[in-house]
Amino acid sequence: MTDVVALGEPLVQLNAVTPGPLRYVVYFERHIAGSELNFCVAVALNGLSCSLIARVGDDEFGRAVIEYLRARGVDASHMVVDREAQTGIYFVQRHYPVPNRSVLVYYRRGSAGSRLSPSDLDEQLIKSARIVHSSGITLAISDSAREAVYRAFELARARTFDTNIRPKLWRSPDEAREAVLKALKAGVEVLVTDPDDTKILLGVSEPAEAYRRYKELGVNVLVYKEGARGAYVFWEGGSYFRPAFNVRVEDPTGAGDAMAGTFVALYLKGVDPRRALDAASAASALVVGVRGDNESIPTPEDAEEFLRSI
Amino acid sequence: MTDVVALGEPLVQLNAVTPGPLRYVVYFERHIAGSELNFCVAVALNGLSCSLIARVGDDEFGRAVIEYLRARGVDASHMVVDREAQTGIYFVQRHYPVPNRSVLVYYRRGSAGSRLSPSDLDEQLIKSARIVHSSGITLAISDSAREAVYRAFELARARTFDTNIRPKLWRSPDEAREAVLKALKAGVEVLVTDPDDTKILLGVSEPAEAYRRYKELGVNVLVYKEGARGAYVFWEGGSYFRPAFNVRVEDPTGAGDAMAGTFVALYLKGVDPRRALDAASAASALVVGVRGDNESIPTPEDAEEFLRSI
Amino acid sequence: MTDVVALGEPLVQLNAVTPGPLRYVVYFERHIAGSELNFCVAVALNGLSCSLIARVGDDEFGRAVIEYLRARGVDASHMVVDREAQTGIYFVQRHYPVPNRSVLVYYRRGSAGSRLSPSDLDEQLIKSARIVHSSGITLAISDSAREAVYRAFELARARTFDTNIRPKLWRSPDEAREAVLKALKAGVEVLVTDPDDTKILLGVSEPAEAYRRYKELGVNVLVYKEGARGAYVFWEGGSYFRPAFNVRVEDPTGAGDAMAGTFVALYLKGVDPRRALDAASAASALVVGVRGDNESIPTPEDAEEFLRSI
Amino acid sequence: MTDVVALGEPLVQLNAVTPGPLRYVVYFERHIAGSELNFCVAVALNGLSCSLIARVGDDEFGRAVIEYLRARGVDASHMVVDREAQTGIYFVQRHYPVPNRSVLVYYRRGSAGSRLSPSDLDEQLIKSARIVHSSGITLAISDSAREAVYRAFELARARTFDTNIRPKLWRSPDEAREAVLKALKAGVEVLVTDPDDTKILLGVSEPAEAYRRYKELGVNVLVYKEGARGAYVFWEGGSYFRPAFNVRVEDPTGAGDAMAGTFVALYLKGVDPRRALDAASAASALVVGVRGDNESIPTPEDAEEFLRSI
Amino acid sequence: MTDVVALGEPLVQLNAVTPGPLRYVVYFERHIAGSELNFCVAVALNGLSCSLIARVGDDEFGRAVIEYLRARGVDASHMVVDREAQTGIYFVQRHYPVPNRSVLVYYRRGSAGSRLSPSDLDEQLIKSARIVHSSGITLAISDSAREAVYRAFELARARTFDTNIRPKLWRSPDEAREAVLKALKAGVEVLVTDPDDTKILLGVSEPAEAYRRYKELGVNVLVYKEGARGAYVFWEGGSYFRPAFNVRVEDPTGAGDAMAGTFVALYLKGVDPRRALDAASAASALVVGVRGDNESIPTPEDAEEFLRSI
Amino acid sequence: MTDVVALGEPLVQLNAVTPGPLRYVVYFERHIAGSELNFCVAVALNGLSCSLIARVGDDEFGRAVIEYLRARGVDASHMVVDREAQTGIYFVQRHYPVPNRSVLVYYRRGSAGSRLSPSDLDEQLIKSARIVHSSGITLAISDSAREAVYRAFELARARTFDTNIRPKLWRSPDEAREAVLKALKAGVEVLVTDPDDTKILLGVSEPAEAYRRYKELGVNVLVYKEGARGAYVFWEGGSYFRPAFNVRVEDPTGAGDAMAGTFVALYLKGVDPRRALDAASAASALVVGVRGDNESIPTPEDAEEFLRSI
């Protein structure tokens, strides 16, 4: 039995070694990333088993993704190698035009990863998992990928979801809202989201109000990220706010995935939501201090050491 | 009046800093390249005016291409910025699986550059140029790009062409042959090619025989590249073989373009074909010693210094 | 017609890759800089035409400067290639002995750039420009360069000036004062300066008092930079203070030039001085976050995105 | 069932980025290596299953080793994490004092890897493997490691061995000879060795004579490496010499392991010894062209492409 | 006559070029460090003569240490080259698991440096020095090194000491306490310590109380470091607190040594303790901004420039 | 007593990290070099004492030079720090326009080093040295430096000289000839030169003839370098030709100095001229394989290991 199964697109990340406009960047550093892949790395680091169901191309970058999953202890045996398409890539422009933020430039149209489809699902695996996870990105990358998520959620015993609405990947906010709400219908154990996405989905952004509404939609626990301010967790019986740690930013990309994966893993292990959010915030803080989305996600011991140091 | 107008796709090149399989490469060095862009740089370095007609995306990489053209003295005022597509990129894997050779991995499907079309042509510019140049790559990247080359060749006063048949870009050798032979129909002043392409185009590969056959197709001067062996030039009245210079290989990508551009520029300046081939071979030798396709193409003075040193 | 003509010395910058005393720096990163060159890049990025009148050596670094100007859309056709002298260079030592500051070490004595002279001026160009710009550095590098600025200011329709008094380049503060005040005599539309320079020039440093005095000297608009505190703009009819943005410092070199160039360009475009100073401060903040003086100067759109993010 | 089980010490390699004496090297590049680990990577790349039995420390470098094994498809489930000792490391000095050669500086005394012992062996795994492999290095690093090899060879169905006598690791040639000959006693299917080691072991160095003598000791197939000259294979019924490929040397470390692992894997797959040696030589040639011992070991397809290119 | 003689272990430092867990660091930057070596560099930069008595291996890294000492103006003529052991090394993991802190991983067990012994002492040199210095690290690395410190302190005219208790190097806090208190017995002119060490040594941590107690043990001047808060100095007749400077952290390793060496040197030169602590704090602040422990320690002029800039 | 005293200009070298025209080089690697400094490093590595008399600026690069001399065991106590001028620097462009050759671009006009003058000479030191050494470069950099060499040669007990005629540093070949011949007048124990310089000096270039003529001018031993072909040594009683070793070229700069310094040192130690030339050629071969002029000069043991490996 696998604890967690995730569906999404793994990508090769080319991170600018020097900050500033991409135009003048001469050296790029290669990392392996992707929202659900980052999530899986966090889950595995916290001691749960995790499978990623995804497609990569039959190329060197696809092989790099599979080797990376195996290295990090994520089950890659359900990965599909697609001979018709290439592994997707993206570039990270750092600290321009806004300091401490990154701009992502994707080469993923028609990528192997975006060709994920319901036929890629191992139904037995999905049915047996404690949780099936995906995100708004996977809903956006193609019709077949979206159908794969819906189908997997149908089969799943329980679900977690990160709304992750990237406006560039959708024709309109309405399209995004419809797709995400449909995913939530099956009932979501833990929902990770933020005020911008919630505004699109529910038309509100006040945290407590958001939780009330999400709960009506079947959400059990809500992780509500307010970026550089911090994050809330709401659950049956309580809520908690964790102010963000004040850290130097190298590249914030992946911070949300680290938070989601760490929180969900600890939640599944029965950790108190407050302590889970603390550790998830530590993971998030460590990720923003480096290039690469998941290399600095801490083990539980390292997260504790971080928290003790504050 | 512009001496040379070229049509093709400029690309951002991501060259592996360390040799070996791409999978394990951590750092990539950014260069600006593309067969016709390389050709233009060689032409401009040899003192002729040159315009590149091509498309780039409305993105940082597209801006990098245009800035690079301007820097190198190539007229970029006829470049088209395409808001619907991205600037194409490719990766260079070096010395694996064959030492001294490179493997190119393209992300150019649907790229801005591949959307070049007859409507992008400035007819006045093309008619007034001494020479219009393109290559088999531009014929291969899309139907509209191929039509653009045919149309430009129709309008041109004279033409030069580099066969550059990349099997992966064509459905079949037959498709490539047909497309290239159609381009040659208009009459080509200087043709640059090699035994592999000639085998596909004419079914022969012996140099003198090849020249005889190309001449029947309207080719005036033939540059016949035999790779690490050297290169021939055939012309009305003579032929000459220049053995390749024995140099250390960093990345051979672009060597053929440097040879083509240097030869054509010197030929247009009235240099004796033997001396033009010597300088073109020097350009080629210098390019294989560095990463990047065109930064080491020599000025005429530098090519002479190279040749004196032998 | 060119909007802006600037006179100054372009330099090759060798920026320490690692912070600390230059003695232990092993790697240097090459950039193209110089106060007026940086100014021109800012002007061109804001959509105005700009010519740099300057000298470089007949060497690789001189060619690098000219290629860089062309790349950035600055008119380099009035650049003079001096066969008798080398292109000037300088080294940047970062974060030592004072964190967040840089120490500049110049090799520019007798450089091509310092040999700028009145005979290098294209009078037609200068007379037709909307604005002629220079700085206290150009006044300091040689007698002939100083004369060139005086002559150009005489011919100009309007002038902007950045006082930029570098004590090491002058024999005494008195010498600097005399030279700068003489430049201001012709009447300056926009003056960019700071408390240190103003103390030398006028013996005062309080902002409003400084403006009153500069106005008497024929200055119309005053940009008064107070470094890490922020900057004022004073104009006929108002004044405005823009606190500096709190950003991580990689190398502050060039921040003042980015502010001057951006402000002047926007001012010429008729932008309200307050909004012009906001954008100029954004430019300044982005430049301090990178090595290199001008690669991170924003376009108007990027400056706006920066300002929206605050 | 696992095809191959290997016993040895995995090490973290710190390879000098620049050639010359280690004293002046400022940057080091981290790789994962070790003779048997390299062997295993070659085996896995050729499609056989392979387990490494070895110890690493309970530290970041130990974790790096285990992640690397998993990434490369080598079974790491029998690895032992030793809480009492650190993962061993070594430095590679390149091209000094002899061009094209490397000097290795080890920090492995008392390392976790050297504490391998008979109690670390999974007897079931060893008995079921087609082949158990080790090398003279493992015999040398400690008494317990030597005993582990002897015990594993006793249990094994068949054995392969690489003599790899490193004089610095032994008190005397006699000690090395005794230890290696004892390992050969159990009967070795494929022995990989060279003239220097053979001189120590048998007092001879002529290839055919060496084969005759090794055969008497129970060796079935002999791979006899003559370094830059090439390599022989001798087997019941024939012999074959493969001249070395002439390639640029970055770091020859690991070339012998790549040859051994590739040959043994192909031999186990029933490939003709001549073709196996060709591919093994290709692997060796690719490894010397890069830093790192095993990243450039080719897949069978890539080895074939290499061989076709000659 | 030498002003200062120090006893300790010089080490080669391999500092992670990128932050995050060591496991994913690919490039390491080599520095020369060690607590007493850093101390000596600070002393020499402040114009006093300083000898380091220590052992290195007869290897490239040992030669690097000796060359570095000579370069920095530290007398290396009493260094011992040990043919039986290697020069010790350590790795620096930065910003993980706690941002702004480093984790050190040593390979120094049995190292040449740890084999320092009383027989290595030049008694004449020690007796003639104004001050003999060592630290709690040297007490911890081996019995013979500890005896060397005790013997040197016996011979010395005066002593300075940095408690530097590294829990990992001791079997128990009790063992550390005993060893350090024994070293203090001889009377210490300047003691450098912090609350953690003082808690172990004296069971107290309040600064003034600590000073009272240390004074009873024969300490004359106390430098009491409170890390990111700042540092106290207590002396006969007064005390002073210097809040830490707020600087960006690259790697805090070595900051304490820079403070100790700078303070002791200035104290020996008769500088007022308040001004000495200011300069020592400046040294500390500059060191945390770079990789490497001692390259950014300032000269007195540079420390003054730093202090003027605040 | 010092064995060798050398006079010349130390320089900071900025070596292009990537080959090709300097214009496109982004990263430079800092080394310390200069013909006589390189010579001194070779002398010291071979176990003789050596003093460099030279000037550096009162700047970070000057301090780097002095630290480097000390590190390498060259006596820097007679170095003069010149407060009026900067330490000279130069750039190395590699493999362009001629593969395997370098182009040097100097910023040394008016440098501190070129201001060497007779008043900088410690007469006692010079009179007591076994040998005083300089080169044609020092004769060329300024009148005062030339006078310093003449004066030192007058005072010296014996002299060695490297003709090193750099055409760019002289107004005419005649000027160079006169200056060098005047230096030779005092009698030169060992002269190092090559065919090009000899053509200028004597009008001949055939080796034996050259030796005959130099002998008439008072030369005792002649080292006659023929570049990639090899080198001769002629002495009273014999001659010997050492073909150059065939090695990969990274940067040939400094190869001649390594040969001169190694030969002279071994000659002074009484080594047979043939063996001295072998070792000197090994030094030369090792230097061309790296960036930096003197880091790869071997110790006698390392040179022997190199020679044994051939």
Side-chain angles (χ1 to χ4, degrees), chain B residues 145-183:
Chain B
R146 186 162 51 246
E147 289 311 314
V149 175
Y150 292 158
R151 176 69 184 138
F153 270 22
E154 220 173 278
L155 296 166
R157 285 161 53 196
R159 285 145 294 269
T160 60
F161 194 76
D162 186 340
T163 57
N164 244 332
I165 299 178
R166 301 273 169 91
K168 281 189 204 163
L169 297 176
W170 295 97
R171 253 158 301 184
S172 70
D174 282 2
E175 196 196 20
R177 183 180 55 243
E178 241 176 89
V180 171
L181 290 181
K182 186 170 168 191

Side-chain angles (χ1 to χ4, degrees), chain D residues 59-302:
Chain D
D59 47 34
E60 283 290 315
F61 287 154
R63 286 187 267 290
V65 166
I66 287 174
E67 292 202 356
Y68 191 70
L69 287 169
R70 290 199 305 230
R72 303 304 305 263
V74 177
D75 172 29
S77 64
H78 296 87
M79 294 290 296
V80 179
V81 176
D82 185 329
R83 285 167 198 283
E84 313 289 313
Q86 289 177 291
T87 306
I89 63 175
Y90 69 114
F91 293 85
V92 180
Q93 170 176 285
R94 299 185 301 107
H95 294 285
Y96 183 90
V98 181
N100 296 335
R101 296 207 192 151
S102 293
V103 175
L104 311 183
V105 177
Y106 292 98
Y107 283 77
R108 81 195 306 183
R109 197 159 304 167
S111 66
S114 71
R115 288 155 54 95
L116 179 71
S117 88
S119 67
D120 297 332
L121 304 177
D122 177 324
E123 302 209 348
Q124 223 37 54
L125 176 81
I126 287 171
K127 283 178 184 167
S128 74
R130 288 178 63 190
I131 280 285
V132 172
H133 176 84
S134 195
S135 80
I137 296 177
T138 310
L139 298 185
I141 52 179
S142 76
D143 291 353
S144 66
R146 187 163 50 246
E147 289 310 315
V149 174
Y150 292 157
R151 176 71 183 135
F153 271 22
E154 220 173 279
L155 297 165
R157 285 161 53 194
R159 286 145 294 269
T160 61
F161 194 75
D162 185 341
T163 57
N164 245 332
I165 299 179
R166 301 274 168 90
K168 280 188 203 163
L169 295 176
W170 295 97
R171 255 159 298 186
S172 70
D174 282 2
E175 195 196 20
R177 183 181 54 244
E178 240 176 90
V180 171
L181 291 182
K182 185 169 169 192
L184 301 189
K185 254 189 199 153
V188 160
E189 187 63 25
V190 178
L191 181 73
V192 180
T193 190
D194 63 24
D196 284 354
D197 285 11
T198 300
K199 192 83 191 173
I200 290 171
L201 294 172
L202 307 177
V204 307
S205 65
E206 195 277 321
E209 168 74 359
Y211 176 52
R212 208 180 49 73
R213 299 281 297 277
Y214 281 125
K215 211 160 60 170
E216 289 170 14
L217 295 171
V219 169
N220 210 349
V221 174
L222 177 69
V223 174
Y224 200 73
K225 303 176 294 179
E226 296 199 329
R229 266 201 73 234
Y232 287 93
V233 57
F234 291 93
W235 70 98
E236 196 57 57
S239 78
Y240 173 69
F241 180 68
R242 165 76 251 174
F245 302 105
N246 178 27
V247 287
R248 187 178 50 97
V249 177
E250 178 79 8
D251 171 22
T253 318
D257 305 327
M259 178 175 274
T262 304
F263 183 87
V264 166
L266 295 178
Y267 176 79
L268 288 179
K269 290 168 76 177
V271 172
D272 175 89
R274 279 166 288 236
R275 297 299 70 80
L277 187 62
D278 287 347
S281 299
S284 193
L286 283 166
V287 162
V288 306
V290 299
R291 297 193 289 269
D293 288 14
N294 50 55
E295 288 91 342
S296 266
I297 300 177
T299 57
E301 299 71 39
D302 287 342

Side-chain angles (χ1 to χ4, degrees), chain A residues 9 30 64 76 84 103 135 137 180 183 189 217 276 279 290 299:
Chain A
E9 178 175 17
R30 201 258 300 143
E84 313 288 313
V103 175
S135 81
I137 296 177
V180 171
E189 188 62 26
L217 294 171
V290 299
T299 58

